[in-house]
Structures are given as structure tokens and as C-alpha cells.
């Protein structure tokens, strides 16, 4: 079976030989010249991992190609090869088990950095734009500040949620997480999906209750340090 795929790094061809039980992957550049190639046994290879490691295909595209090839094999009624992805699942579990958990202290520092770098300036700007700035003067004193309440508070909350969702879905990390060297992945060791990022951050509203006491309790009672949002979204926070 031969399949061809267009990717961001060029055209990729995948050939599966059912008789020798091997899989070959070739990547061609924009001019059609071979740029990378790999061949391994289908029984002991995770196709997505092969494409990432040996042909330089981005993880999200490699996973899409692997899913397409496996679906095609299932359609042509090739049960011996269709069962092989179980090996890939084991490899994914091995990858996640070898990663170091980020730990609560680093995650808390990342949270503080996001608050100082992103949310504090955003709160000032939103407060001023919404007319929350005020000044008070009296005999011998003057006072000035910004009141972030009402609609301004809801807008800041929505922007904060969007910040977490889109940063983690796009790169696996917010600015704070990047600075302390941690990121979010799926339990399968793959890049975080938008849906998983949305679920884990919607539940952040529960985890953050009582200054993140709720999230801390869930993380301390989890063998993988997962707060409630991580458990629901099947995500992990690990060191880079």
C-alpha cells in the first residue's frame, strides 16, 4: 500500500509492505528531491514517531498521517497490520512515564509570572479603558487608582481564559510556563489539542478557588500531579 501526503515540510510518501511487514517513509522538498527517508518493521514501530524522528514531519501532521494510514489498512481488511498500532500506544505510555512531572512549586511560580507579566498590565489597561480610573483629593492628601469591576472584571476573566486556552493549544505553554521550563501535553505524550486545552482551563475556575487550594489538593492526591482540569482533559504538566 502506498499513500502520499502534503505537509508543511514537503510531500511525504508512506509505503507499507504487508508481506515483509515493513513501513517506509520518504519526504521530498518543494522541488521533488528526496530530503529524508526511513524504513522499519511495522510490528515494532510507531509510525507517527518514525515520521517525527527520522523524516522531520511536525508532530500534529505525523499523527494525522499515521491515523490516515491505519484507517486505510483497516478498510482493506488487513487485521495483522491493523493491530500493530497497539505497539505505538505502548511507546506513547513509555514516553510519558519517562517525562519528569513539573511539580506544584514550578507551576505556582509560572502562575505568578503570568499574573505579573500578563494579567496585571491587562487589568490596568482594561480598567482605564472602561472608565475605572479615579482620583481623590482632600486636605493634605491625594489618592488615585483604577477600579476593575463590573463589566471590566468579566472582560478580564474572558481574556484570561482565552490567553490560557490559546497559548497552551498552540505551544503547550503560557509565557510563565515557558520561563520556568514546563509545558502541557496529553496523557499520550502528544501535543495538547484545542479541546483538551479548553476543558482544562474552564475547570481552572474550580481549581483556583481559595487561592488554588482546590487545585493543589487534587494535584497532591494524583500520582501524576494532575489538578481537576488535568484529570478531566487527560493532560499532564511536565518539564521540558
Amino acid at each position: 500500500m502506498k499513500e502520499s501526503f502534503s505537509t508543511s515540510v514537503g510531500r511525504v510518501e508512506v509505503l507499507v509492505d504487508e508481506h515483509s511487514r515493513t513501513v517506509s517513509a520518504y519526504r521530498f522538498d518543494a522541488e521533488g528531491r528526496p530530503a529524508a527517508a526511513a524504513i522499519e518493521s511495522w510490528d515494532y514501530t510507531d509510525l507517527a514517531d518514525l515520521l517525527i524522528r527520522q523524516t522531520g514531519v511536525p508532530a500534529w501532521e505525523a499523527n494525522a498521517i499515521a491515523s490516515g494510514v491505519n484507517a486505510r489498512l483497516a478498510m482493506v481488511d488487513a487485521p495483522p497490520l491493523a493491530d500493530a498500532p497497539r505497539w505505538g500506544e505502548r511507546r506513547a505510555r513509555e514516553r510519558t512515564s519517562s517525562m519528569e512531572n513539573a511539580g506544584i512549586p514550578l507551576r505556582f511560580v509560572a502562575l505568578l509570572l503570568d499574573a505579573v507579566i500578563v494579567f496585571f498590565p491587562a487589568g490596568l489597561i482594561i480598567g482605564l479603558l472602561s472608565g475605572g480610573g479615579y482620583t481623590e483629593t482632600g486636605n493634605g492628601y491625594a489618592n488615585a487608582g483604577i477600579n476593575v469591576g463590573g463589566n471590566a472584571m468579566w472582560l478580564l476573566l474572558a481574556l484570561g481564559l482565552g490567553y490560557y486556552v490559546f497559548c497552551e493549544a498552540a505551544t503547550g505553554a503560557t509565557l510563565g510556563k515557558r520561563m520556568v521550563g514546563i509545558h502541557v501535553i496529553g496523557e499520550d505524550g502528544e501535543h495538547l489539542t484545542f479541546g483538551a486545552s479548553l476543558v482544562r482551563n474552564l475547570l481552572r475556575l474550580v481549581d483556583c478557588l481559595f487561592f488554588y487550594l482546590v487545585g493543589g489538593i487534587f494535584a497532591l492526591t494524583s500520582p501524576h500531579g494532575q489538578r481537576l482540569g488535568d484529570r478531566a482533559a487527560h493532560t499532564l504538566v511536565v518539564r521540558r
Side-chain angles (χ1 to χ4, degrees), residues 210-227:
F210 308 109
F211 300 100
Y212 274 91
L213 177 62
V214 174
I217 292 174
F218 274 102
L220 287 172
T221 56
S222 165
H224 303 295
Q226 293 170 294
R227 61 176 176 82

PDB file of all heavy atoms in Angstrom, residues 210-227:
ATOM      1  N   PHE A 210     -10.229  29.435  46.487  1.00  0.00           N
ATOM      2  CA  PHE A 210      -9.442  29.536  47.722  1.00  0.00           C
ATOM      3  C   PHE A 210      -7.943  29.593  47.410  1.00  0.00           C
ATOM      4  O   PHE A 210      -7.140  28.851  47.974  1.00  0.00           O
ATOM      5  CB  PHE A 210      -9.754  28.364  48.664  1.00  0.00           C
ATOM      6  CG  PHE A 210     -11.217  28.166  48.924  1.00  0.00           C
ATOM      7  CD1 PHE A 210     -11.895  27.083  48.385  1.00  0.00           C
ATOM      8  CD2 PHE A 210     -11.931  29.090  49.678  1.00  0.00           C
ATOM      9  CE1 PHE A 210     -13.243  26.900  48.615  1.00  0.00           C
ATOM     10  CE2 PHE A 210     -13.295  28.913  49.913  1.00  0.00           C
ATOM     11  CZ  PHE A 210     -13.958  27.828  49.379  1.00  0.00           C
ATOM     12  N   PHE A 211      -7.588  30.455  46.455  1.00  0.00           N
ATOM     13  CA  PHE A 211      -6.191  30.659  46.053  1.00  0.00           C
ATOM     14  C   PHE A 211      -5.544  29.346  45.606  1.00  0.00           C
ATOM     15  O   PHE A 211      -4.444  28.988  46.026  1.00  0.00           O
ATOM     16  CB  PHE A 211      -5.388  31.288  47.197  1.00  0.00           C
ATOM     17  CG  PHE A 211      -5.915  32.625  47.637  1.00  0.00           C
ATOM     18  CD1 PHE A 211      -6.711  32.739  48.767  1.00  0.00           C
ATOM     19  CD2 PHE A 211      -5.647  33.766  46.894  1.00  0.00           C
ATOM     20  CE1 PHE A 211      -7.209  33.958  49.165  1.00  0.00           C
ATOM     21  CE2 PHE A 211      -6.140  35.005  47.289  1.00  0.00           C
ATOM     22  CZ  PHE A 211      -6.935  35.099  48.425  1.00  0.00           C
ATOM     23  N   TYR A 212      -6.238  28.647  44.749  1.00  0.00           N
ATOM     24  CA  TYR A 212      -5.776  27.385  44.153  1.00  0.00           C
ATOM     25  C   TYR A 212      -5.626  26.246  45.175  1.00  0.00           C
ATOM     26  O   TYR A 212      -4.933  25.260  44.915  1.00  0.00           O
ATOM     27  CB  TYR A 212      -4.448  27.573  43.400  1.00  0.00           C
ATOM     28  CG  TYR A 212      -4.654  28.033  41.980  1.00  0.00           C
ATOM     29  CD1 TYR A 212      -4.678  29.395  41.680  1.00  0.00           C
ATOM     30  CD2 TYR A 212      -4.842  27.132  40.938  1.00  0.00           C
ATOM     31  CE1 TYR A 212      -4.881  29.844  40.378  1.00  0.00           C
ATOM     32  CE2 TYR A 212      -5.042  27.562  39.633  1.00  0.00           C
ATOM     33  CZ  TYR A 212      -5.062  28.924  39.364  1.00  0.00           C
ATOM     34  OH  TYR A 212      -5.259  29.357  38.079  1.00  0.00           O
ATOM     35  N   LEU A 213      -6.322  26.362  46.293  1.00  0.00           N
ATOM     36  CA  LEU A 213      -6.295  25.277  47.274  1.00  0.00           C
ATOM     37  C   LEU A 213      -6.947  24.022  46.709  1.00  0.00           C
ATOM     38  O   LEU A 213      -6.445  22.899  46.893  1.00  0.00           O
ATOM     39  CB  LEU A 213      -7.022  25.701  48.557  1.00  0.00           C
ATOM     40  CG  LEU A 213      -7.141  24.623  49.644  1.00  0.00           C
ATOM     41  CD1 LEU A 213      -5.759  24.193  50.129  1.00  0.00           C
ATOM     42  CD2 LEU A 213      -7.989  25.136  50.802  1.00  0.00           C
ATOM     43  N   VAL A 214      -8.055  24.203  45.970  1.00  0.00           N
ATOM     44  CA  VAL A 214      -8.749  23.057  45.377  1.00  0.00           C
ATOM     45  C   VAL A 214      -7.839  22.341  44.372  1.00  0.00           C
ATOM     46  O   VAL A 214      -7.671  21.124  44.416  1.00  0.00           O
ATOM     47  CB  VAL A 214     -10.057  23.509  44.683  1.00  0.00           C
ATOM     48  CG1 VAL A 214     -10.700  22.341  43.933  1.00  0.00           C
ATOM     49  CG2 VAL A 214     -11.029  24.059  45.715  1.00  0.00           C
ATOM     50  N   GLY A 215      -7.225  23.106  43.479  1.00  0.00           N
ATOM     51  CA  GLY A 215      -6.321  22.510  42.505  1.00  0.00           C
ATOM     52  C   GLY A 215      -5.129  21.855  43.166  1.00  0.00           C
ATOM     53  O   GLY A 215      -4.664  20.791  42.732  1.00  0.00           O
ATOM     54  N   GLY A 216      -4.595  22.481  44.220  1.00  0.00           N
ATOM     55  CA  GLY A 216      -3.458  21.911  44.935  1.00  0.00           C
ATOM     56  C   GLY A 216      -3.781  20.579  45.572  1.00  0.00           C
ATOM     57  O   GLY A 216      -2.968  19.643  45.543  1.00  0.00           O
ATOM     58  N   ILE A 217      -4.970  20.470  46.148  1.00  0.00           N
ATOM     59  CA  ILE A 217      -5.376  19.206  46.780  1.00  0.00           C
ATOM     60  C   ILE A 217      -5.492  18.098  45.733  1.00  0.00           C
ATOM     61  O   ILE A 217      -5.021  16.970  45.933  1.00  0.00           O
ATOM     62  CB  ILE A 217      -6.713  19.390  47.536  1.00  0.00           C
ATOM     63  CG1 ILE A 217      -6.510  20.305  48.743  1.00  0.00           C
ATOM     64  CG2 ILE A 217      -7.279  18.042  47.962  1.00  0.00           C
ATOM     65  CD1 ILE A 217      -7.793  20.665  49.457  1.00  0.00           C
ATOM     66  N   PHE A 218      -6.113  18.416  44.590  1.00  0.00           N
ATOM     67  CA  PHE A 218      -6.227  17.419  43.515  1.00  0.00           C
ATOM     68  C   PHE A 218      -4.846  17.002  43.015  1.00  0.00           C
ATOM     69  O   PHE A 218      -4.595  15.817  42.762  1.00  0.00           O
ATOM     70  CB  PHE A 218      -7.058  17.976  42.355  1.00  0.00           C
ATOM     71  CG  PHE A 218      -8.535  17.779  42.509  1.00  0.00           C
ATOM     72  CD1 PHE A 218      -9.350  18.828  42.923  1.00  0.00           C
ATOM     73  CD2 PHE A 218      -9.115  16.547  42.249  1.00  0.00           C
ATOM     74  CE1 PHE A 218     -10.718  18.640  43.064  1.00  0.00           C
ATOM     75  CE2 PHE A 218     -10.486  16.355  42.386  1.00  0.00           C
ATOM     76  CZ  PHE A 218     -11.291  17.405  42.798  1.00  0.00           C
ATOM     77  N   ALA A 219      -3.940  17.965  42.863  1.00  0.00           N
ATOM     78  CA  ALA A 219      -2.593  17.652  42.363  1.00  0.00           C
ATOM     79  C   ALA A 219      -1.813  16.799  43.355  1.00  0.00           C
ATOM     80  O   ALA A 219      -1.102  15.863  42.972  1.00  0.00           O
ATOM     81  CB  ALA A 219      -1.835  18.941  42.067  1.00  0.00           C
ATOM     82  N   LEU A 220      -1.958  17.093  44.657  1.00  0.00           N
ATOM     83  CA  LEU A 220      -1.232  16.336  45.672  1.00  0.00           C
ATOM     84  C   LEU A 220      -1.733  14.898  45.788  1.00  0.00           C
ATOM     85  O   LEU A 220      -0.966  13.991  46.146  1.00  0.00           O
ATOM     86  CB  LEU A 220      -1.359  17.035  47.032  1.00  0.00           C
ATOM     87  CG  LEU A 220      -0.547  18.330  47.207  1.00  0.00           C
ATOM     88  CD1 LEU A 220      -0.923  19.019  48.503  1.00  0.00           C
ATOM     89  CD2 LEU A 220       0.945  18.013  47.186  1.00  0.00           C
ATOM     90  N   THR A 221      -3.001  14.692  45.476  1.00  0.00           N
ATOM     91  CA  THR A 221      -3.571  13.346  45.587  1.00  0.00           C
ATOM     92  C   THR A 221      -3.509  12.562  44.279  1.00  0.00           C
ATOM     93  O   THR A 221      -4.027  11.464  44.186  1.00  0.00           O
ATOM     94  CB  THR A 221      -5.040  13.429  46.046  1.00  0.00           C
ATOM     95  OG1 THR A 221      -5.782  14.265  45.141  1.00  0.00           O
ATOM     96  CG2 THR A 221      -5.132  14.004  47.453  1.00  0.00           C
ATOM     97  N   SER A 222      -2.854  13.154  43.256  1.00  0.00           N
ATOM     98  CA  SER A 222      -2.715  12.477  41.968  1.00  0.00           C
ATOM     99  C   SER A 222      -1.286  11.968  41.800  1.00  0.00           C
ATOM    100  O   SER A 222      -0.332  12.692  42.085  1.00  0.00           O
ATOM    101  CB  SER A 222      -3.038  13.446  40.821  1.00  0.00           C
ATOM    102  OG  SER A 222      -2.597  12.939  39.579  1.00  0.00           O
ATOM    103  N   PRO A 223      -1.111  10.730  41.339  1.00  0.00           N
ATOM    104  CA  PRO A 223       0.257  10.214  41.127  1.00  0.00           C
ATOM    105  C   PRO A 223       1.017  10.975  40.053  1.00  0.00           C
ATOM    106  O   PRO A 223       2.239  10.917  40.001  1.00  0.00           O
ATOM    107  CB  PRO A 223       0.019   8.758  40.709  1.00  0.00           C
ATOM    108  CG  PRO A 223      -1.382   8.717  40.195  1.00  0.00           C
ATOM    109  CD  PRO A 223      -2.129   9.729  41.014  1.00  0.00           C
ATOM    110  N   HIS A 224       0.296  11.690  39.184  1.00  0.00           N
ATOM    111  CA  HIS A 224       0.937  12.450  38.111  1.00  0.00           C
ATOM    112  C   HIS A 224       0.820  13.955  38.314  1.00  0.00           C
ATOM    113  O   HIS A 224       1.090  14.728  37.394  1.00  0.00           O
ATOM    114  CB  HIS A 224       0.328  12.075  36.761  1.00  0.00           C
ATOM    115  CG  HIS A 224       0.413  10.620  36.440  1.00  0.00           C
ATOM    116  ND1 HIS A 224       1.618   9.974  36.251  1.00  0.00           N
ATOM    117  CD2 HIS A 224      -0.552   9.671  36.298  1.00  0.00           C
ATOM    118  CE1 HIS A 224       1.397   8.693  35.995  1.00  0.00           C
ATOM    119  NE2 HIS A 224       0.094   8.492  36.027  1.00  0.00           N
ATOM    120  N   GLY A 225       0.413  14.384  39.518  1.00  0.00           N
ATOM    121  CA  GLY A 225       0.301  15.807  39.801  1.00  0.00           C
ATOM    122  C   GLY A 225      -0.776  16.501  39.006  1.00  0.00           C
ATOM    123  O   GLY A 225      -0.637  17.673  38.659  1.00  0.00           O
ATOM    124  N   GLN A 226      -1.881  15.817  38.726  1.00  0.00           N
ATOM    125  CA  GLN A 226      -2.952  16.391  37.904  1.00  0.00           C
ATOM    126  C   GLN A 226      -4.000  17.079  38.761  1.00  0.00           C
ATOM    127  O   GLN A 226      -4.576  16.467  39.660  1.00  0.00           O
ATOM    128  CB  GLN A 226      -3.624  15.296  37.073  1.00  0.00           C
ATOM    129  CG  GLN A 226      -2.725  14.679  36.007  1.00  0.00           C
ATOM    130  CD  GLN A 226      -3.361  13.453  35.389  1.00  0.00           C
ATOM    131  OE1 GLN A 226      -3.558  12.436  36.069  1.00  0.00           O
ATOM    132  NE2 GLN A 226      -3.687  13.532  34.123  1.00  0.00           N
ATOM    133  N   ARG A 227      -4.241  18.364  38.469  1.00  0.00           N
ATOM    134  CA  ARG A 227      -5.361  19.039  39.115  1.00  0.00           C
ATOM    135  C   ARG A 227      -6.653  18.568  38.460  1.00  0.00           C
ATOM    136  O   ARG A 227      -6.628  17.749  37.529  1.00  0.00           O
ATOM    137  CB  ARG A 227      -5.184  20.555  39.047  1.00  0.00           C
ATOM    138  CG  ARG A 227      -5.125  21.146  37.641  1.00  0.00           C
ATOM    139  CD  ARG A 227      -5.048  22.666  37.719  1.00  0.00           C
ATOM    140  NE  ARG A 227      -4.906  23.298  36.418  1.00  0.00           N
ATOM    141  CZ  ARG A 227      -5.893  23.551  35.581  1.00  0.00           C
ATOM    142  NH1 ARG A 227      -7.136  23.190  35.895  1.00  0.00           N
ATOM    143  NH2 ARG A 227      -5.680  24.144  34.417  1.00  0.00           N
TER     144      ARG A 227
END
